[in-house]
Amino acid sequence: MNISETSILLIYTGGTIGMVENPETGVLETFNFNQLEKNVPELKRFNYKISTVQFSPPCDSSEITPEDWCELVSIISDNYYKYDGFVVLHGTDTMAYTASALSFMLENLSKPVIFTGSQLPIGMLRTDGKENLMTALEIAAAKENGLPVVPEVCIFFENHLMRANRTTKINADYFNAFRSFNYPVLARAGIHIQYNSALIRPPERKPLNPHFLPDRHVVVLKLFPGITRETVKAILDIPDLKAVVMETFGSGNAPTKTWFLKLLKNAVNRGIVIVNVSQCASGSVEMQRYETGQRLSEAGVVSGYDSTTEAAVTKLMFLLGRNMTPIQVRQYMDCSLVGEITIPDKIKN
């Protein structure tokens, strides 16, 4: 397929990038993406077809729900064989959650799904939105030997292309809003876009298998010095709770007080899956490294390895939505589905 035959579907969910300033009132307003070229005339220079679809109404990213993830999956799956790639414009606050969720929900993906957005509205003079948008489109359209260069769900922001389920938002004020701490970037955009092909997942050879039933019964338990028994118990006793992402200290450490370990073990015995992820931005959980981590393992807590909280939450929602048993969920949390974790080689005796 020649580049002139390439077509990209641009999906606007909402967020800062899709706003322009009303010249009369000075208020930022969402513009109609059917008039995208009017607001971003540079797009006319691309020699491939760009179609647009817009959430109605557009959704602020702080309001994003699993139902919105399902709408995105539906749009992509319904148009999967019509387009060569997809670009999703999304607010930055929850982009890492949505993009991580889609990395699991779009099973057997073999085409690019590139998320991007901006810190400043696309209608402002110093916006980062135009550069992010145009580069994301170029990445979504990139092919080599007739195959997409990046056939996975990614986030492109401030010159870096990152695997979606490895990425987290780190900055609310500057253009470099996202970082992939535990996995190298897949590409860097400068004068040329330099891809690290060895790190990019190859395209799947099976038909796309979309999923639409993420399970919401997941919570995040962030530990802190002085956390009380009543606090932990209240969280673990939430009605219909199925899974907990527990943010621990350092390489997976937590208190070893009897009441704490007993509450965890009782929850696990009730069928609640508890996954241990680190509060540190960089590094991995190593539950066998210190006695505190070993005690968690003995209580039935599962290692999240080097997972981001966003990936752990959405992976659990995905697995639980497939009506898996707690044992099955624990097994799948202990393996990488789409490159979301790195599992250390097991020590050979």
Side-chain angles (χ1 to χ4, degrees):
M1 180 180 289
N2 297 322
I3 189 68
S4 59
E5 298 174 309
T6 299
S7 58
I8 303 298
L9 182 60
L10 178 62
I11 307 167
Y12 176 58
T13 67
T16 299
I17 191 171
M19 294 183 176
V20 293
E21 188 176 48
N22 186 311
E24 297 180 359
T25 66
V27 175
L28 292 174
E29 300 173 347
T30 300
F31 68 78
N32 188 334
F33 260 69
N34 291 326
Q35 301 175 344
L36 180 63
E37 287 189 352
K38 177 182 176 182
N39 293 278
V40 191
E42 294 90 343
L43 294 178
K44 296 178 182 178
R45 300 178 63 182
F46 284 121
N47 59 344
Y48 44 84
K49 180 181 177 182
I50 300 172
S51 302
T52 61
V53 62
Q54 180 175 342
F55 272 29
S56 182
C59 182
D60 185 272
S61 69
S62 63
E63 303 282 358
I64 285 287
T65 68
E67 286 73 26
D68 296 311
W69 302 344
C70 293
E71 183 174 351
L72 269 174
V73 170
S74 180
I75 291 170
I76 293 171
S77 60
D78 288 347
N79 292 279
Y80 192 66
Y81 297 102
K82 301 176 187 176
Y83 295 92
D84 300 284
F86 304 86
V87 171
V88 181
L89 301 182
H90 193 289
T92 59
D93 287 348
T94 59
M95 185 188 295
Y97 282 97
T98 301
S100 293
L102 260 66
S103 75
F104 301 114
M105 296 168 72
L106 293 170
E107 186 180 1
N108 299 332
L109 182 69
S110 62
K111 296 184 179 183
V113 177
I114 312 299
F115 279 74
T116 195
S118 68
Q119 296 287 69
L120 285 176
I122 208 164
M124 295 186 70
L125 184 62
R126 294 182 53 250
T127 183
D128 54 330
K130 286 186 179 181
E131 183 176 341
N132 285 345
L133 170 58
M134 290 187 290
T135 307
L137 286 166
E138 187 172 346
I139 291 169
K143 291 185 179 181
E144 186 172 334
N145 299 321
L147 296 175
V149 174
V150 189
E152 58 174 292
V153 184
C154 297
I155 290 176
F156 177 80
F157 223 89
E158 184 64 7
N159 300 324
H160 289 154
L161 181 70
M162 298 157 282
R163 178 167 295 159
N165 53 42
R166 292 288 194 152
T167 307
T168 193
K169 185 175 181 180
I170 61 160
N171 205 310
D173 294 324
Y174 296 99
F175 289 152
N176 58 336
F178 291 89
R179 185 75 61 83
S180 173
F181 286 100
N182 289 327
Y183 197 78
V185 297
L186 304 184
R188 288 181 171 85
I191 296 175
H192 304 286
I193 301 176
Q194 298 178 326
Y195 295 96
N196 194 334
S197 301
L199 298 174
I200 299 171
R201 289 175 57 82
E204 296 288 347
R205 302 298 182 183
K206 300 177 183 178
L208 181 71
N209 182 21
H211 297 272
F212 299 96
L213 297 172
D215 193 312
R216 292 169 173 259
H217 296 98
V218 178
V219 298
V220 176
L221 170 58
K222 187 181 183 74
L223 301 185
F224 57 89
I227 192 169
T228 66
R229 179 183 184 279
E230 290 73 23
T231 299
V232 177
K233 187 175 188 302
I235 291 173
L236 296 179
D237 285 347
I238 292 174
D240 301 319
L241 181 65
K242 296 180 181 178
V244 178
V245 175
M246 185 169 65
E247 293 188 348
T248 57
F249 309 120
S251 56
N253 300 313
T256 57
K257 293 181 174 63
T258 301
W259 65 261
F260 181 74
L261 295 173
K262 185 176 180 180
L263 285 176
L264 296 181
K265 189 169 185 178
N266 288 342
V268 170
N269 290 340
R270 298 198 309 270
I272 296 174
V273 179
I274 304 178
V275 180
N276 183 358
V277 301
S278 176
Q279 294 180 18
C280 299
S282 179
S284 181
V285 164
E286 300 178 61
M287 290 171 63
Q288 305 306 317
R289 186 174 182 181
Y290 297 105
E291 181 183 359
T292 54
Q294 291 178 345
R295 298 288 294 276
L296 293 179
S297 182
E298 292 168 0
V301 175
V302 181
S303 176
Y305 299 100
D306 57 354
S307 176
T308 64
T309 294
E310 294 92 333
V313 168
T314 54
K315 183 177 179 180
L316 283 167
M317 287 183 170
F318 166 69
L319 295 174
L320 292 168
R322 299 183 68 179
N323 293 320
M324 292 185 178
T325 66
I327 292 176
Q328 290 173 318
V329 173
R330 289 165 58 89
Q331 290 173 339
Y332 278 105
M333 291 303 295
D334 197 43
C335 63
S336 177
L337 300 181
V338 283
E340 72 279 5
I341 55 175
T342 303
I343 301 177
D345 293 334
K346 295 186 182 297
I347 299 174
K348 297 182 180 179
N349 294 327

